[in-house]
């Protein structure tokens, strides 16, 4: 539990200042580790084996020469454990302590009696810690609740001596979080995830490769198919890396082998490169299934030629916009406000991107987030038990209420949600009346932005 919240707000500003300095050309130093590419051009790396396939046989790989034209090969299409058609996809965002809202929402969703079994579950940062339990089903709701309502700061990190911080890779040690992950990710849990993977379900977690500055997606079900201790350790390390807040917690080192040569990678919080994600091949498979459904049925005149053939559910750990407040015109407060604004904008951009992809793929879009008017933690690294319990029960209530979904992103373009200005004289407009889209229920009037 944090006793000096003002101290932590100033620490966030210091971290933002350090990050800004690190991005300047004068702070860059040559790499001291062996890395699997020749700077500055990063190269893609294909899997050398398939945990579900024949031992020692490398899976087929293919990648389009045109970036963005076709997704790289994924184990989803391997012969050993092919992915089943994704009809229900669940996405968890990052958000630190605000993950308590996501955990509570999942619990409430179960209580509503409308929670489906998910074909694909993805998670980033704190979402990566929730995703394995949500993937396995309602029997793990209680454990999620315990983790997010009983955790304290001491269970997540340990602040280093200030004199040592300039010579370390983070302000705090992640040893407590590592111990917590090691305790929760047991061989039994791994076996259960592996069994679901073999049925065609998929669990994905994202980390950021600090060397390439890009998102890396890990197939956690395939990793779970590997025997322990190798599989267990890799699974735990990926979760630790995805949760390693840059500057706050240490990045995780992965010793890899590429074409018989040893090298290393440093991975950190997946939220650096994406606040939430769904691999593109998942959308491609959903679109193919929707097209096949449409070809088999005869739609009446004027009807949607490709009605929703599945669902995309997005659970945001926190609010869609930062809380408004006056900023003191000094370097650290300005940097702190700027960093927070960037992160929230990043999340909204990812939400808009997923909305477009879901519409194109025949998936019905669903979004939930913490209400803007809800007063709680000032920072996502303030693991205050009382406040996290409030977040959990707010999430549970929202999950039990139907759940109450948004059926579109908060914005389609930056600046949406406010009026375009033509001068300095303003007025407060009347509250707009929400108009539901055809085929969707009316949004609740008590949730601003819905």
């Amino acid at each position: 539990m944090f006793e000096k919240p003002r101290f932590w707000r100033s620490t966030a500003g210091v971290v933002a200042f350090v990050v800004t300095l690190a991005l300047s050309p004068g702070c860059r130093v040559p790499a001291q580790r062996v890395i699997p590419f020749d700077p500055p051009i990063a190269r893609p790396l294909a899997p050398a084996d398939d945990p579900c396939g024949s031992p020692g046989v490398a899976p087929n790989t293919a990648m389009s020469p045109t970036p963005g034209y076709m997704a790289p090969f994924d184990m989803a299409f391997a012969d050993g454990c092919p992915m089943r058609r994704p009809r229900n996809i669940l996405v968890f965002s990052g958000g630190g302590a605000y993950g308590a809202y996501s955990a509570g929402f999942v619990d409430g969703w179960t209580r509503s009696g409308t929670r489906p079994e998910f074909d694909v579950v993805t998670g980033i940062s704190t979402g990566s810690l929730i995703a394995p339990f949500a993937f396995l089903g309602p029997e793990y709701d209680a454990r999620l609740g315990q983790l997010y309502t009983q955790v304290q700061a001491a269970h997540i990190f340990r602040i280093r001596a200030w004199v040592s911080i300039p010579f370390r890779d983070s302000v705090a040690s992640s040893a407590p979080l590592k111990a917590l992950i090691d305790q929760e990710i047991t061989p039994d849990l791994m076996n259960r995830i592996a069994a679901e993977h073999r049925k065609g379900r998929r669990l994905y977690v994202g980390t950021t490769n600090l060397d390439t500055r890009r998102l890396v997606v890990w197939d956690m079900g395939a990793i779970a198919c590997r025997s322990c201790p190798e599989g267990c350790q890799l699974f735990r390390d990926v979760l630790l890396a995805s949760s390693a807040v840059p500057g706050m917690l240490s990045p995780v080192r992965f010793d890899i082998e590429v074409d018989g040569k040893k090298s290393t990678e440093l991975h950190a919080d997946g939220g650096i490169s994406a606040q939430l994600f769904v691999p593109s091949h998942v959308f491609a498979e959903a679109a193919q299934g929707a097209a096949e459904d449409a070809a088999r049925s005869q739609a009446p005149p004027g009807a949607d030629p490709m009605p929703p053939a599945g669902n995309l559910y997005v659970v945001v750990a926190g609010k869609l916009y930062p809380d408004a407040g006056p900023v003191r015109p000094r370097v650290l407060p300005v940097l702190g406000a700027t960093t927070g604004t960037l992160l929230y904008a990043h999340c909204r951009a990812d939400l808009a991107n997923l909305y477009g992809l879901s519409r194109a793929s025949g998936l019905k879009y669903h979004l939930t987030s913490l209400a803007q008017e809800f007063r709680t933690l000032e920072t996502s690294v303030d693991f205050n038990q009382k406040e996290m319990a409030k977040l959990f029960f707010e999430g549970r209530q929202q999950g039990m209420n139907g759940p109450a979904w948004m059926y579109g992103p908060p914005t389609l373009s930056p600046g949406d949600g406010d009026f375009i200005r033509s001068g300095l004289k303003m007025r407060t407009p009347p509250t707009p009346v929400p108009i539901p889209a055809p085929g969707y229920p009316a949004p609740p009037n008590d949730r601003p932005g819905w």
Side-chain angles (χ1 to χ4, degrees):
M1 185 179 298
F2 285 60
E3 298 179 354
K4 299 180 180 179
R6 290 185 179 179
F7 167 79
W8 290 109
R9 290 200 293 274
S10 65
T11 299
V14 172
V15 171
F17 183 58
V18 171
V19 169
T20 302
L21 290 178
L23 294 175
S24 64
C27 290
R28 297 186 181 179
V29 296
Q32 301 299 313
R33 296 176 291 106
V34 178
I35 55 178
F37 63 93
D38 296 323
I41 306 300
R43 59 180 172 132
L45 300 176
D49 66 341
D50 178 2
C52 282
S54 301
V57 177
N60 294 323
T61 57
M63 179 175 288
S64 168
T66 305
Y69 179 73
M70 184 182 296
F73 169 85
D74 189 271
M75 295 303 233
F77 305 113
D79 294 333
C81 301
M83 184 178 76
R84 74 190 191 189
R85 176 178 168 181
R87 295 180 183 274
N88 291 295
I89 303 165
L90 178 62
V91 181
F92 290 106
S93 80
Y98 292 106
Y101 172 83
S102 300
F105 182 86
V106 169
D107 180 78
W109 194 357
T110 299
R111 292 168 185 263
S112 76
T114 62
R115 174 180 170 182
E117 179 181 78
F118 304 106
D119 303 297
V120 177
V121 178
T122 77
I124 283 276
S125 195
T126 192
S128 73
L129 303 179
I130 299 172
F133 298 100
F135 179 76
L136 289 177
E139 66 179 286
Y140 286 89
D141 288 354
R143 186 56 189 146
L144 263 182
Q146 292 172 353
L147 287 173
Y148 277 90
T149 59
Q150 299 179 10
V151 70
Q152 300 182 22
H155 299 138
I156 306 300
F157 58 82
R158 184 171 58 249
I159 296 296
R160 304 184 193 277
W162 284 105
V163 293
S164 70
I165 289 176
F167 310 101
R168 306 301 292 269
D169 56 6
S170 63
V171 171
S173 166
S174 57
L177 177 59
K178 183 179 186 304
L180 181 61
I181 292 174
D182 289 350
Q183 171 186 310
E184 296 300 325
I185 305 303
T186 63
D188 178 66
L189 185 137
M190 291 277 287
N191 289 335
R192 292 190 175 200
I193 292 175
E196 296 304 313
H197 178 83
R198 293 188 178 97
K199 295 177 185 177
R201 300 176 64 210
R202 289 296 180 264
L203 171 63
Y204 296 113
V205 164
T207 64
T208 298
N209 184 335
L210 295 180
D211 298 315
T212 63
R213 284 74 160 170
R214 300 182 186 185
L215 182 72
V216 173
V217 177
W218 300 81
D219 187 335
M220 304 303 282
I223 293 173
C225 289
R226 299 183 182 277
S227 59
C228 289
E230 174 199 5
C232 290
Q233 191 57 55
L234 179 56
F235 196 105
R236 295 162 180 161
D237 286 346
V238 171
L239 295 186
L240 182 63
S242 186
S243 307
V245 180
M248 187 69 183
L249 300 179
S250 299
V252 175
R253 174 173 173 154
F254 290 94
D255 296 315
I256 66 174
E257 181 180 312
V258 181
D259 300 329
K261 297 180 180 179
K262 303 288 186 179
S263 61
T264 64
E265 294 177 336
L266 281 183
H267 287 238
D269 195 331
I272 303 169
S273 43
Q275 288 293 302
L276 25 80
F277 76 99
V278 175
S280 56
H281 72 268
V282 174
F283 287 115
E285 287 293 291
Q288 180 177 341
E292 292 172 353
D293 288 349
R296 285 193 296 266
S297 62
Q298 294 294 327
D304 186 347
M306 197 167 94
N311 299 284
L312 176 70
Y313 302 100
V314 183
V315 181
V316 174
K319 301 179 181 181
L320 298 176
Y321 292 87
D323 291 336
V327 176
R328 189 178 178 216
R330 296 292 185 270
V331 173
L332 293 183
V334 168
L335 282 173
T338 301
T339 303
T341 301
L342 285 170
L343 292 174
Y344 279 89
H346 191 187
C347 181
R348 294 195 301 275
D350 286 340
L351 288 171
N353 180 53
L354 289 182
Y355 175 72
L357 289 169
S358 66
R359 289 291 298 270
S361 305
L363 296 171
K364 189 173 181 179
Y365 182 93
H366 306 70
L367 167 64
T368 184
S369 65
L370 187 63
Q372 287 296 136
E373 68 273 15
F374 190 84
R375 299 302 174 193
T376 183
L377 303 171
E378 294 191 22
T379 72
S380 63
V381 293
D382 186 355
F383 294 90
N384 181 301
Q385 278 188 328
K386 181 179 178 181
E387 292 300 318
M388 290 181 69
K390 283 173 55 180
L391 284 166
F392 179 85
F393 287 111
E394 172 67 11
R396 174 188 282 179
Q397 189 61 45
Q398 292 301 325
M400 292 174 62
N401 290 341
W405 296 106
M406 291 175 62
Y407 295 99
T411 61
L412 292 176
S413 176
D416 286 356
D418 203 348
F419 290 85
I420 297 175
R421 298 188 178 187
S422 58
L424 299 178
K425 189 175 182 180
M426 311 292 176
R427 65 183 175 88
T428 301
T431 302
V433 177
I435 302 175
Y440 292 87
N445 292 323
D446 61 340
R447 297 292 300 275
W450 287 59

